[in-house]
Amino acid sequence: MKSPGSQLSPGRYAQELNLLEQVHVALGTASKLEDFYLIATSILVDPNAFGYSRALVLRSEERPRSFTGRVALGTQSLEDHLRFREDILEETRRLQELIEAIQRENPEPRAIQPLYDLRFHSLWIHLLQGNDAGGDGLNSGFRELNIGREGLPENHLLERAAAATRATIFTAEDVDATGLEDYVRFPCVAGRLVTRRGMHGLLIADRQYEDTPIDGESLYHFQWLVNHASVSLENVELVEELTATTQRLQEVDRLKSNFLSIVSHELRTPLTSIMGFAQLLAAEKVGTLQPSQRDLMRRIEQHSTHLHNMVNDILEIAEVEGGGMVNVQVQPVDPLSCFISVLPKIEARRGNKQVTIEPLIHDSVPLVWADDAALERVLFHLLDNAVKFSPGEGRVTVEYEAREAVLDISVQDSGIGIPQDNLKKIFDHFYQVDFRLERSFGGMGIGLTVVKLLLDAMNGRIRVESTPGVGSRFTLTFPIAPGRSGAPAE
Ligand code: ADP
């Protein structure tokens, strides 16, 4: 592409197409602005590609109206330029030989493409290394530039390039380049990098040390590069935006967890006192109660227990998110005894519901690799939901089934079920299928989040099958450990 001719021979045409494709691929690999600037300027100064003497990317800053130079690749003297040009060509020859040798072994074109990309990348690394080694590289001209646009004369190179919709060749007669003497010489070519957000900046290159003039064909190629670079830049901007948004969201999420943790701690202390005093009163330790007073005390106890459970749930999720609880200790655990320990807690939550909970055991139950406290909490949340979403007289079964090296523990209910579309989302924080405030089931949408976090920490798995109006089945899977339920571990 560096030596324009009036006619392209088929061989050169193919070569050019190949180069354009590589440039396209290379620009597409950037995911950060700094990488993008480096790749775009490297393509411009690479004698195998555009062969300019120097290249400059200037970012246009809106506030204050100015240009900031991010990457300026170029050599400061003809001698440097020729030396580095030779280095790069030598490096290219070496890599080309390597590619050809590999190609002889493996003519599959797909295997070769990464090598071409590698050729480009290694050249750029070469350029950069020069910079790292004390300004000796092709980008020894790299400097941070800050040019205020306010003070620039009207026919300044930057103002004129920013105003032109197409890439343009500028000469010393055309424009004034005061302030840019160290970075660009005339004639030079400049074009705008434009994305959906507006003008991002300018790409400028000169051929100070090259015999090849900047002519119409160079301008055509430069415009091609500017167009492709603008498309890639748009992607880079989007990726950067997404990364920044994700970081902000993670920060907000962390603040929310901290807040939840503090609030629930603060609520738990007075609530524990209220419950303690209510129990004292209900047990008539401080005086005999009338039947109506006893009934009211029972309701106070019921409601404060409910509140206490809710506060514990919030605290649980804040702890799990903060990494506090994820320190589970995986060891052989008896899943049946975990189930038995959970039953009284479910009894305390079920209120007036007559739902029965039945274990279904086909064979002796093996121990599993888990953490008993964590498994109890998982079973608690699954059973709590199963009871909550079942009709008043429903039936919940807990089935244990060993399959080769794993044990499945399924909690099945005959409740309202979950629509297919919602199945994936129910494990998200605060997600509830029914979001309405007037919904008939209580809860805060965190039980299953806790289940998922605890299972991840224990290397357990969960899957859910459900049919609206028929019921749901949540199946936990754990690796089997040595030993059987009720028998000491082997
Ligand atoms: P909560 O039960 O406190 O709302 P969870 O995280 O435990 O929160 O569950 C999230 C949502 O998943 C519930 O609000 C409900 O819509 C749905 N869900 C969970 N388990 C069941 C179940 N056994 N039957 C029907 N829906 C369920």
Side-chain angles (χ1 to χ4, degrees):
M1 200 178 278
K2 66 191 162 50
S3 49
S6 51
Q7 281 221 299
L8 285 180
S9 65
R12 213 188 120 213
Y13 181 65
Q15 219 178 352
E16 248 184 51
L17 267 186
N18 189 15
L19 174 68
L20 297 185
E21 196 183 314
Q22 285 174 50
V23 167
H24 189 66
V25 170
L27 283 169
T29 60
S31 59
K32 286 195 262 164
L33 280 179
E34 293 300 324
D35 291 350
F36 169 82
Y37 295 149
L38 183 71
I39 293 173
T41 45
S42 303
I43 291 169
L44 283 168
V45 295
D46 184 347
N48 298 294
F50 286 75
Y52 285 95
S53 302
R54 328 175 208 220
L56 182 66
V57 181
L58 281 167
R59 178 146 188 201
S60 168
E61 309 281 352
E62 270 315 309
R63 249 176 249 124
R65 284 187 78 228
S66 64
F67 286 102
T68 325
R70 290 302 171 98
V71 178
L73 281 174
T75 39
Q76 299 301 307
S77 69
L78 176 61
E79 197 193 7
D80 273 0
H81 179 72
L82 294 177
R83 186 155 45 90
F84 286 113
R85 201 186 139 85
E86 202 33 60
D87 277 359
I88 284 182
L89 291 173
E90 179 53 36
E91 186 87 350
T92 315
R93 273 193 289 276
R94 238 171 32 76
L95 281 162
Q96 191 62 39
E97 273 168 29
L98 186 71
I99 288 172
E100 278 162 18
I102 295 172
Q103 206 160 21
R104 278 194 294 278
E105 301 268 307
N106 182 358
E108 164 67 40
R110 269 191 221 173
I112 296 302
Q113 187 56 43
L115 285 172
Y116 277 112
D117 299 341
L118 178 77
R119 192 187 74 179
F120 264 87
H121 286 287
S122 67
L123 284 176
W124 300 333
I125 289 165
H126 183 84
L127 295 170
L128 264 183
Q129 272 171 347
N131 188 45
D132 288 348
D136 201 21
L138 250 187
N139 61 344
S140 56
F142 172 83
R143 249 168 268 171
E144 285 283 328
L145 261 176
N146 262 306
I147 308 161
R149 278 168 78 178
E150 300 280 272
L152 293 183
E154 241 173 55
N155 77 332
H156 193 277
L157 172 60
L158 300 186
E159 277 300 296
R160 289 277 300 277
T165 49
R166 310 269 317 155
T168 314
I169 299 171
F170 292 101
T171 64
E173 292 79 52
D174 290 335
V175 289
D176 175 355
T178 320
L180 293 174
E181 298 87 348
D182 285 348
Y183 304 96
V184 65
R185 301 280 158 83
F186 291 116
C188 65
V189 59
R192 304 193 306 180
L193 292 168
V194 181
T195 66
R196 237 176 284 178
R197 288 190 194 162
M199 190 180 79
H200 179 94
L202 297 172
L203 206 52
I204 305 175
D206 72 33
R207 281 232 173 97
Q208 155 95 358
Y209 308 120
E210 292 286 328
D211 308 334
T212 339
I214 300 183
D215 58 7
E217 193 175 335
S218 333
L219 189 61
Y220 171 80
H221 286 139
F222 194 85
Q223 181 68 53
W224 180 91
L225 178 69
V226 166
N227 292 347
H228 279 261
S230 292
V231 174
S232 304
L233 184 59
E234 182 141 340
N235 289 336
V236 175
E237 281 183 351
L238 280 174
V239 171
E240 289 220 326
E241 211 172 282
L242 269 179
T243 314
T245 310
T246 311
Q247 277 168 355
R248 258 203 321 276
L249 287 177
Q250 280 169 343
E251 177 58 13
V252 170
D253 205 44
R254 199 186 55 76
L255 289 175
K256 179 216 66 195
S257 299
N258 273 359
F259 174 75
L260 286 181
S261 168
I262 292 168
V263 167
S264 39
H265 264 296
E266 291 294 318
L267 285 175
R268 203 155 67 157
T269 317
L271 197 57
T272 311
S273 307
I274 293 172
M275 287 171 72
F277 293 138
Q279 274 162 7
L280 272 182
L281 285 171
E284 303 192 327
K285 299 269 191 238
V286 281
T288 319
L289 298 177
Q290 303 294 324
S292 57
Q293 289 173 322
R294 209 168 292 134
D295 185 47
L296 289 176
M297 282 317 302
R298 198 183 44 77
R299 286 202 222 173
I300 291 176
E301 270 190 297
Q302 244 177 22
H303 288 295
S304 50
T305 306
H306 181 61
L307 202 56
H308 195 250
N309 285 332
M310 275 176 14
V311 169
N312 277 349
D313 283 352
I314 300 179
L315 199 58
E316 192 169 44
I317 199 152
E319 273 176 7
V320 172
E321 282 184 344
M325 263 187 23
V326 187
N327 290 331
V328 294
Q329 280 222 332
V330 174
Q331 53 194 0
V333 163
D334 181 351
L336 265 187
S337 65
C338 290
F339 166 68
I340 291 162
S341 318
V342 164
L343 284 178
K345 293 181 194 146
I346 298 295
E347 280 305 318
R349 302 258 288 197
R350 76 159 72 206
N352 298 329
K353 277 197 163 176
Q354 295 305 309
V355 181
T356 55
I357 302 177
E358 291 170 31
L360 288 182
I361 305 166
H362 306 294
D363 210 342
S364 78
V365 176
L367 302 190
V368 291
W369 290 107
D371 174 288
D372 41 10
L375 179 54
E376 275 178 29
R377 286 165 94 159
V378 167
L379 286 172
F380 168 79
H381 286 297
L382 294 185
L383 287 168
D384 190 39
N385 279 343
V387 171
K388 182 164 73 181
F389 294 107
S390 287
E393 315 271 299
R395 175 170 177 255
V396 172
T397 55
V398 183
E399 195 172 355
Y400 296 82
E401 203 173 354
R403 300 185 276 127
E404 296 180 5
V406 293
L407 178 74
D408 282 344
I409 308 172
S410 311
V411 176
Q412 170 140 27
D413 64 54
S414 49
I416 60 168
I418 305 162
Q420 206 63 23
D421 291 353
N422 302 85
L423 280 182
K424 278 223 171 76
K425 298 184 222 154
I426 55 174
F427 293 94
D428 292 348
H429 299 26
F430 310 119
Y431 186 85
Q432 299 187 308
V433 173
D434 185 356
F435 272 112
R436 294 167 306 138
L437 279 179
E438 66 275 21
R439 67 188 191 274
S440 32
F441 304 99
M444 288 177 294
I446 54 180
L448 289 180
T449 309
V450 171
V451 165
K452 187 79 183 48
L453 290 167
L454 288 173
L455 285 172
D456 285 348
M458 289 190 282
N459 289 325
R461 275 176 290 141
I462 187 163
R463 60 175 196 276
V464 49
E465 299 134 278
S466 189
T467 312
V470 177
S472 313
R473 183 184 182 93
F474 288 79
T475 306
L476 304 168
T477 305
F478 289 98
I480 291 177
R484 301 254 139 209
S485 172
E490 283 152 22

